[in-house]
Amino acid sequence: MNRSTRARTLTGAALALATAMALTACGGDGDAPSDAEPKKQTKSSDAAASVENPVVASYDGGLYVLDGETLKLAKTIELPGFNRVNPAGDEDHVVISTDSGFRLFDAARQEFTGVEYKGAKPGHVVRHGGKTVLFTDGTGEVNAFDPAKLAGGKQPKTRSYTSAEPHHGVAIELADGELLTTLGTEEKRTGALVLDRDGKEIARSEDCPGVHGEAAAEGEVVGLGCEDGVLLYKNGEFTKVDAPGEYARTGNQAGSDASPILLGDYKTDPEAELKRPTRISLIDTRTAKMRLVDLGTSYSFRSLARGPHGEALVLGTNGVPHVIDPETGKAERKIDAVGDWTQPLDWQQPRPTLFVRDHTAYVSDPGKRRLHSFDLDSGEKVTSVTLPKGTNELSGTVAGH
């Protein structure tokens, strides 16, 4: 019996903690690079037993590793500075973005492995089709690997590509070996290109100003956020989904293999010090059309996720995760998770964050040092925990993407 099956047996069908797509978090308003503050050393507490379906949360000065079912704190890892956390793509590891680059962390065993992809300003981490792709903003380097090869702490065979110029970018590898990666410079981002398995360019579009973020929908249709809509890559060709207005930014998205519709944010004021959108965008990859839905509450870049059936999930500043049918745009359920909160001006500062894994939604409440888990099918709270410090980023292991 594997690890996921054991956890499912313990929690019951409604609490199954298997795999699902989770939002690739990005900096602040969709522009800030993922550089971290300097740090000198890494320390951890005493060794602990292996953790089932671990959840990892960052705090100012380190990481908390928690049991995904009970939320019991298994271990505290001291790691000074601002660090980012993303699933690595298997049931054991997460990727930690530090000032020196991407580091692989074995969350099940609560220890860093020897695997590291060094480079300034480590940025987006994308999981798709059995591959995990890292984009290093400071160098423009792309590294793709099979997360199943991380077992044993050894460096997996890696496919590498270096962008023409460094920029805050993102890349994704498709099932047939095509590599889609963004185009840009430190001053301006314009679109994306696609390389075949042998590294030959086979498609290009520069019709995506301010390109930022990606998501994959059912049928392996990839969406890239632009300042005037969304750029789709489908069946070997790029298609532009226009948004109303001269400026309508969709810089953060979440996709699901179970839905042809992408979930995106929707920001319309280019001069705002901090954009506080109340509308979301739903991009239908079948028709290349965009639908706008007003939630009646604002949200942040750490508020978007997808459920196990393709549900669109948005954590509002009213403290409520909205469970939305992407086909209709109607909220099927609203979960009373945390109280009202205000998005901080600095994107690196903590705020309530949503992480979804299969049928379970995890919601942090950093102001109260709390972390909660909820059953998405029933909307009921599963458990809660109070941590020594308020958390910032929230993620965990997610396999089978």
Side-chain angles (χ1 to χ4, degrees), residues 3 20 62 69 76 125 180 188 209 253 294 355 366 374 399:
R3 179 173 285 110
E69 178 193 352
T76 299
V125 179
L180 186 157
K188 185 179 182 180
Q253 305 122 64
D294 197 325
F355 168 61
F374 298 87

Side-chain angles (χ1 to χ4, degrees), residues 30 94 106 117 120 186 226 229 258 263 287 358 360 368 375 394:
V94 295
D106 189 329
Y117 293 87
E186 291 183 354
C226 315
L263 165 66
T287 61
D358 196 36
T360 302
K368 297 180 180 179
D375 183 291
L394 177 64

Side-chain angles (χ1 to χ4, degrees), residues 39 50 77 105 165 167 212 233 252 269 316 318 369 390:
K39 44 189 164 290
S50 180
I77 307 293
F105 180 73
E165 294 193 49
H167 63 281
H212 184 274
Y233 181 68
N252 298 288
D269 185 357
N318 58 357
R369 298 182 291 116

Side-chain angles (χ1 to χ4, degrees), residues 229-310:
V230 172
L231 184 65
L232 299 180
Y233 181 68
K234 179 180 180 181
N235 298 327
E237 297 182 348
F238 284 105
T239 301
K240 185 64 175 289
V241 180
D242 293 320
E246 293 184 4
Y247 181 92
R249 180 178 176 79
T250 302
N252 298 288
Q253 305 122 64
S256 168
D257 290 340
S259 172
I261 299 174
L262 298 171
L263 165 66
D265 57 6
Y266 192 78
K267 302 170 182 176
T268 57
D269 185 357
E271 305 301 326
E273 182 178 11
L274 175 67
K275 302 176 183 68
R276 302 181 188 276
T278 60
R279 289 181 292 177
I280 59 168
S281 57
L282 297 171
I283 302 96
D284 193 326
T285 63
R286 298 164 298 189
T287 61
K289 300 294 184 182
M290 177 184 292
R291 176 205 297 263
L292 301 180
V293 177
D294 197 325
L295 298 179
T297 181
S298 62
Y299 56 92
S300 87
F301 73 100
R302 292 185 182 145
S303 293
L304 309 181
R306 300 303 289 263
H309 309 295

Side-chain angles (χ1 to χ4, degrees), residues 80-390:
F82 176 76
N83 302 287
R84 313 208 68 190
V85 185
N86 281 282
D90 68 350
E91 62 182 17
D92 291 333
H93 297 83
V94 295
V95 179
I96 309 296
S97 303
T98 73
D99 66 307
S100 63
F102 297 103
R103 298 179 63 187
L104 272 296
F105 180 73
D106 189 329
R109 296 164 184 79
Q110 309 112 67
E111 61 187 15
F112 279 96
T113 72
V115 180
E116 183 174 5
Y117 293 87
K118 294 184 178 181
K121 301 179 181 178
H124 285 257
V125 179
V126 174
R127 300 169 296 107
H128 176 76
K131 294 295 175 61
T132 299
V133 185
L134 315 176
F135 195 104
T136 303
D137 294 349
T139 63
E141 187 174 15
V142 175
N143 287 292
F145 60 86
D146 180 352
K149 304 299 183 181
L150 291 170
K154 297 180 179 180
Q155 187 92 15
K157 181 179 179 181
T158 302
R159 174 186 184 179
S160 297
Y161 166 78
T162 301
S163 307
E165 294 193 49
H167 63 281
H168 182 44
V170 67
I172 179 172
E173 183 170 331
L174 305 183
D176 61 2
E178 292 182 353
L179 181 69
L180 186 157
T181 185
T182 51
L183 292 164
T185 67
E186 291 183 354
E187 293 76 30
K188 185 179 182 180
R189 304 190 299 273
T190 57
L193 60 80
V194 180
L195 305 172
D196 67 13
R197 186 184 297 272
D198 298 320
K200 178 183 177 182
E201 183 176 326
I202 57 175
R204 173 185 287 247
S205 172
E206 298 192 46
D207 187 20
C208 188
V211 59
H212 184 274
E214 61 68 45
E218 182 182 54
E220 207 172 37
V221 183
V222 179
L224 300 169
C226 315
E227 292 177 348
D228 57 359
V230 172
L231 184 65
L232 299 180
Y233 181 68
K234 179 180 180 181
N235 298 327
E237 297 182 348
F238 284 105
T239 301
K240 185 64 175 289
V241 180
D242 293 320
E246 293 184 4
Y247 181 92
R249 180 178 176 79
T250 302
N252 298 288
Q253 305 122 64
S256 168
D257 290 340
S259 172
I261 299 174
L262 298 171
L263 165 66
D265 57 6
Y266 192 78
K267 302 170 182 176
T268 57
D269 185 357
E271 305 301 326
E273 182 178 11
L274 175 67
K275 302 176 183 68
R276 302 181 188 276
T278 60
R279 289 181 292 177
I280 59 168
S281 57
L282 297 171
I283 302 96
D284 193 326
T285 63
R286 298 164 298 189
T287 61
K289 300 294 184 182
M290 177 184 292
R291 176 205 297 263
L292 301 180
V293 177
D294 197 325
L295 298 179
T297 181
S298 62
Y299 56 92
S300 87
F301 73 100
R302 292 185 182 145
S303 293
L304 309 181
R306 300 303 289 263
H309 309 295
E311 309 96 314
L313 301 163
V314 186
L315 172 62
T317 55
N318 58 357
V320 174
H322 299 70
V323 184
I324 299 165
D325 181 342
E327 293 283 355
T328 65
K330 303 295 184 182
E332 297 178 323
R333 185 178 300 111
K334 296 180 180 180
I335 301 172
D336 188 11
V338 296
D340 293 346
W341 55 279
T342 301
Q343 184 178 177
L345 289 175
D346 183 351
W347 73 271
Q348 293 188 351
Q349 291 302 305
R351 81 285 308 282
T353 297
L354 174 66
F355 168 61
V356 174
R357 183 168 55 192
D358 196 36
H359 296 267
T360 302
Y362 300 89
V363 182
S364 65
D365 190 353
K368 297 180 180 179
R369 298 182 291 116
R370 299 280 283 171
L371 178 62
H372 312 281
S373 63
F374 298 87
D375 183 291
L376 284 173
D377 294 325
S378 67
E380 298 296 321
K381 180 184 289 187
V382 179
T383 190
S384 297
V385 66
T386 300
L387 297 167
K389 295 182 178 181

Side-chain angles (χ1 to χ4, degrees), residues 3-8 11 15-18 51-56 66-69 91-92 107-108 355 357 362 396-397:
R3 179 173 285 110
S4 297
T5 303
R6 290 198 302 271
R8 192 177 294 109
T11 59
L15 300 179
L17 298 178
V51 176
E52 298 285 352
N53 300 298
V55 171
V56 180
L66 305 102
D67 182 281
E69 178 193 352
E91 62 182 17
D92 291 333
F355 168 61
R357 183 168 55 192
Y362 300 89
T397 58

